[in-house]
Amino acid sequence: MSDPWSSADPSRSRWLAPAARPARRVVLALACTLAVLLVSEVVFSGFAPLVLDRRMRARDAARAAAGQQGGQQVVIVDVPTAEIEAWRADQPGARDRLAALIHALDRQDPAVVVINVPLRGQRAADPGLAEAMRRCGVVVLRADLTSPRPGHYNLALPLGLNARNAAAGHGFVHWMPDRDGVVRRFTQSIADETGAAFAERAAFAHELALPIVACAVARGLPPDSVATRPLKTPTGHPRARRGVLLFCDGPPGHGFATIAPEDVLLDRAPLTGKVVILGTTNLANSAFNTPLSHSTRPELIDLPPEYMSDTELLANAIHTQLDHHVLVEWSRFAAFLLTFLFALGAVLAGYGLPTAVGLAAVIAGGAGWLAAAEIAFAHWLVLPLAEPLAVLLVGYPAALIRRVHDERDRAAAAAREAHEQRRRMAELDDTKQQLMRTVVHDLKVPVTIIKGQALTLLGDAEHELGAELHEEFLATMAAQCDRLTSMIEDILDTDPSRPLHLRREPTDLVTLVRQVIDMHRAATDRHEFDLVARPVGSLEVDHDLVLRVLNNLVSNAVKYSPNGGTVTVDVGPGADSEVVVSVRDQGIGMSREQVARLFGMFSRVLDDPASIPGTGIGLFSARRLAEAHGGRIEVDSTLGGGSEFRLVLPRSAPEVP
């Protein structure tokens, strides 16, 4: 198809030049990308999490259909809420019971024991609890996060000095809900710049999040080994220090094995090598909405959505890391670059391809990206979805509309050009008709003179008029024949390919001027002719061609003085070895704009060209002949004040290089 960027509008020629077309398309692609990204902050920000939810629900339903349980490495010890409150407040015997529970867990040799209860203050039972944690060696305590403002976190000291030293690690819990209020990620650590403040206010207070510390202990690593580096996936992709995506292993109450404290004390549950979380699933204690709150399992699909407790969120966060299900999100820059490439492809499809093919290319691009996103998700890579698909929907129609607009402009420009061509052809036809009429009129004048005088001489067979009059008539007839020849030569000069052959010879310029004046004096009785001649000597010029130039200048002076008047011809020396022939009239004159258009072929500068007959080729031919001699024609004119034409010729022929 033809290029839609072409245009006949000169004001757009630079922007629509061939070199500017690719840049114009890139600008449109970039504009589509920026528009989509700006809108995505409001409209599309919740799209990717919803797609992530759908994928996790689908995997959970498939796992449930295969009879597989989700987080087999994690076990939740569901402690009653009353017991949780007793641990916090250190009611009599409460922390002794917690120490006994830890002793029982130690017998099972778990990978890590996470106490998901913020214990505050120092109690008399703390030494016994510290001893139980020391013997177990893999206990992680939860510190309390009391302020959500970065830089103003306040971690309460977990137990006394003995308990802190006895625990394998401790960290805080800080969930990060998305804009829809659903928790899909957890914080990896408090910002590094706040770590110094923790060290000053609370010795041994750790800035890592509780799931990170628990995984480090479960893998046999000291918590400090992950305190200063980002979390990494098995493939080596670094995670940001904030916002680790959760990969939930089932809806609330169905993702992890849950046992009672009595089962631990009586050794009823196998816990060897497991991650054991001591906490409560009672929603009265803590409740958060989660991506899998509405399950797609057949037995749960008709039930209303449920909330997920803080303890189950913690279990999902730990299991996400232990099973290497850390979902890697593309960076903002990569997402923008991808979106831009999609927009550029959509714009190119809209511009450079037929509508059906371009639409098929856009659909194929979107389907291909969806397939790539599904494959990437299987390898724990989350690709952006909403923005690339949105730019396909925005970029292609934008380019298509732009193309239709440009094609409409091209069609309109072509129509204007066709109309202009028709107008020029009509004007050319009118000019041709007028030229024919004018040529016929101009030819009739000398022909009439020649015929009249020829008939007079023919009727005077006896020479009764006398020999002198006979000679005068014959001279006039010869002059009129020369005038006819000059007019014919002017017409032939309209062919720019016609060569000029100058036959230079010594010529008396004053004699030529007198000859021209005598010829025009015989053709008009309304004009006076005044010759001012100063000695100029002989010039090396083509006699016939210079005669044609002078004839055109004097003829114009007569023609454009319709009310008569004096035509003054001044012959004299000029500057720099030049000779000047000046022809002044008392006619209608011309404006500056008319003078600028004076020497064009078929150019008639009158407001009403029909008022004075003319071909518009006389001055064009005169200038061509003057320049062929190495001279020029100059004009001075005032509208309503007459005109002066000056023929400037060199005294000798210019040197030919």
Side-chain angles (χ1 to χ4, degrees):
M1 61 182 296
S2 59
D3 197 323
W5 287 105
S6 60
S7 175
D9 187 354
S11 65
R12 301 167 60 191
S13 59
R14 177 179 297 179
W15 183 235
L16 298 182
R21 293 170 193 162
R24 178 78 177 272
R25 298 177 188 183
V26 171
V27 168
L28 182 58
L30 186 59
C32 292
T33 303
L34 291 176
V36 169
L37 290 180
L38 289 175
V39 175
S40 69
E41 291 299 321
V42 179
V43 179
F44 301 130
S45 60
F47 184 78
L50 294 179
V51 173
L52 184 63
D53 294 353
R54 183 194 63 79
R55 289 172 172 172
M56 285 193 293
R57 288 190 182 97
R59 290 201 175 190
D60 175 67
R63 189 169 50 237
Q68 300 175 356
Q69 189 177 12
Q72 299 182 15
Q73 293 178 274
V74 180
V75 176
I76 297 175
V77 178
D78 193 2
V79 181
T81 303
E83 185 67 13
I84 293 289
E85 294 300 330
W87 292 354
R88 286 176 175 173
D90 190 24
Q91 295 178 3
R95 292 189 178 177
D96 290 332
R97 292 193 297 273
L98 175 57
L101 192 59
I102 294 176
H103 279 299
L105 289 171
D106 183 39
R107 293 194 299 270
Q108 297 276 354
D109 192 21
V112 63
V113 176
V114 182
I115 301 178
N116 189 31
V117 179
L119 304 176
R120 299 184 180 92
Q122 300 183 22
R123 300 292 183 265
D126 286 354
L129 180 59
E131 178 61 25
M133 290 190 296
R134 184 177 295 106
R135 290 183 59 185
C136 185
V138 290
V139 177
V140 176
L141 299 176
R142 170 178 170 175
D144 193 17
L145 180 64
T146 60
S147 174
R149 296 183 299 278
H152 295 84
Y153 293 101
N154 180 19
L155 296 177
L157 298 180
L159 306 180
L161 184 61
N162 292 332
R164 292 199 307 275
N165 292 336
H170 56 273
F172 67 92
V173 174
H174 182 42
W175 304 110
M176 299 174 63
D178 290 321
R179 291 187 178 182
D180 57 358
V182 177
V183 173
R184 298 183 181 89
R185 63 192 70 213
F186 65 91
T187 302
Q188 179 178 346
S189 67
I190 294 179
D192 292 339
E193 60 268 17
T194 62
F198 298 155
E200 293 176 3
R201 296 199 311 268
F204 305 106
H206 211 291
E207 72 270 16
L208 285 177
L210 190 60
I212 303 296
V213 177
C215 287
V217 174
R219 291 170 177 163
L221 301 173
D224 290 342
S225 66
V226 293
T228 57
R229 65 181 181 180
L231 178 68
K232 290 188 176 182
T233 66
T235 57
H237 294 288
R239 285 296 312 161
R241 295 189 68 82
R242 291 189 172 210
V244 181
L245 288 174
L246 283 169
F247 190 89
C248 292
D249 287 282
H254 296 79
F256 302 94
T258 303
I259 61 176
E262 292 76 12
D263 296 328
V264 175
L265 295 173
L266 298 176
D267 297 334
R268 294 176 181 173
L271 301 177
T272 302
K274 304 274 187 183
V275 174
V276 180
I277 301 177
L278 302 180
T280 180
T281 59
N282 191 331
L283 296 180
N285 181 270
S286 61
F288 294 90
N289 193 8
T290 65
L292 287 179
S293 60
H294 191 183
S295 176
T296 55
R297 295 188 185 190
E299 68 273 16
L300 302 176
I301 192 170
D302 295 329
L303 298 178
E306 297 180 6
Y307 291 101
M308 183 175 284
S309 66
D310 175 83
T311 300
E312 287 180 284
L313 281 175
L314 177 61
N316 276 298
I318 295 174
H319 189 256
T320 294
Q321 300 172 84
L322 291 179
D323 271 8
H324 305 303
H325 290 173
V326 177
L327 295 173
V328 178
E329 291 182 292
W330 273 31
S331 67
R332 298 286 295 183
F333 174 76
F336 175 82
L337 181 61
L338 171 74
T339 304
F340 172 71
L341 293 177
F342 264 75
L344 183 60
V347 170
L348 292 178
Y351 266 116
L353 298 175
T355 303
V357 178
L359 183 59
V362 170
I363 293 175
W369 184 248
L370 286 175
E374 289 292 338
I375 295 173
F377 185 73
H379 297 85
W380 318 115
L381 180 62
V382 180
L383 300 181
L385 285 175
E387 290 84 351
L389 298 181
V391 297
L392 290 177
L393 298 177
V394 173
Y396 181 76
L400 196 60
I401 292 172
R402 183 71 255 180
R403 187 179 74 182
V404 171
H405 177 75
D406 288 342
E407 289 179 349
R408 184 186 64 186
D409 286 351
R410 289 175 49 248
R416 290 194 299 269
E417 181 65 22
H419 175 74
E420 183 64 21
Q421 273 192 330
R422 289 193 297 270
R423 186 188 65 80
R424 287 198 299 266
M425 292 297 294
E427 287 183 352
L428 186 60
D429 188 63
D430 291 342
T431 301
K432 182 178 69 173
Q433 295 297 328
Q434 182 180 351
L435 174 63
M436 294 299 296
R437 289 192 299 268
T438 303
V439 168
V440 170
H441 176 271
D442 288 350
L443 290 176
K444 285 175 65 177
V445 173
V447 169
T448 300
I449 295 174
I450 294 172
K451 182 178 180 180
Q453 295 189 352
L455 291 175
T456 301
L457 294 178
L458 187 62
D460 187 24
E462 301 298 332
H463 291 80
E464 295 178 358
L465 297 177
E468 184 178 351
L469 190 58
H470 271 244
E471 290 180 3
E472 181 183 343
F473 277 17
L474 290 174
T476 301
M477 292 168 63
Q480 295 302 324
C481 287
D482 290 340
R483 183 178 178 186
L484 285 173
T485 301
S486 177
M487 294 172 62
I488 293 171
E489 292 293 333
D490 285 346
I491 295 174
L492 294 176
D493 279 345
T494 58
D495 181 6
S497 63
R498 181 171 179 255
L500 285 175
H501 300 289
L502 273 66
R503 295 186 295 274
R504 294 180 180 273
E505 56 183 343
T507 303
D508 185 355
L509 195 58
V510 176
T511 301
L512 283 182
V513 171
R514 285 198 177 97
Q515 183 179 344
V516 171
I517 290 175
D518 291 342
M519 181 175 57
H520 284 85
R521 184 180 284 120
T524 178
D525 56 0
R526 304 178 63 186
H527 297 80
E528 297 292 333
F529 293 88
D530 185 11
L531 174 61
V532 179
R534 295 183 297 279
V536 294
S538 180
L539 276 71
E540 292 287 336
V541 295
D542 187 308
H543 176 280
D544 294 337
L545 298 185
V546 173
L547 183 64
R548 284 174 53 194
V549 175
L550 295 173
N551 182 58
N552 271 314
L553 297 182
V554 175
S555 176
N556 268 4
V558 172
K559 184 184 299 183
Y560 291 97
S561 303
N563 297 324
T566 301
V567 176
T568 303
V569 182
D570 189 327
V571 183
D576 299 329
S577 300
E578 293 177 336
V579 176
V580 180
V581 180
S582 171
V583 180
R584 294 191 301 274
D585 62 56
Q586 297 174 333
I588 60 177
M590 295 174 289
S591 66
R592 183 178 302 176
E593 292 77 12
Q594 290 173 323
V595 171
R597 297 183 286 114
L598 189 60
F599 291 97
M601 186 186 298
F602 304 123
S603 177
R604 302 295 311 283
V605 300
L606 295 176
D607 293 333
D608 182 14
S611 61
I612 299 178
T615 61
I617 60 177
L619 289 178
F620 171 81
S621 176
R623 185 174 68 171
R624 184 172 182 234
L625 297 178
E627 291 175 349
H629 283 83
R632 62 189 183 276
I633 296 179
E634 300 174 349
V635 184
D636 285 330
S637 185
T638 304
L639 191 61
S643 302
E644 179 182 0
F645 286 78
R646 291 183 297 276
L647 171 63
V648 182
L649 295 172
R651 289 183 177 275
S652 57
E655 295 182 3
V656 179

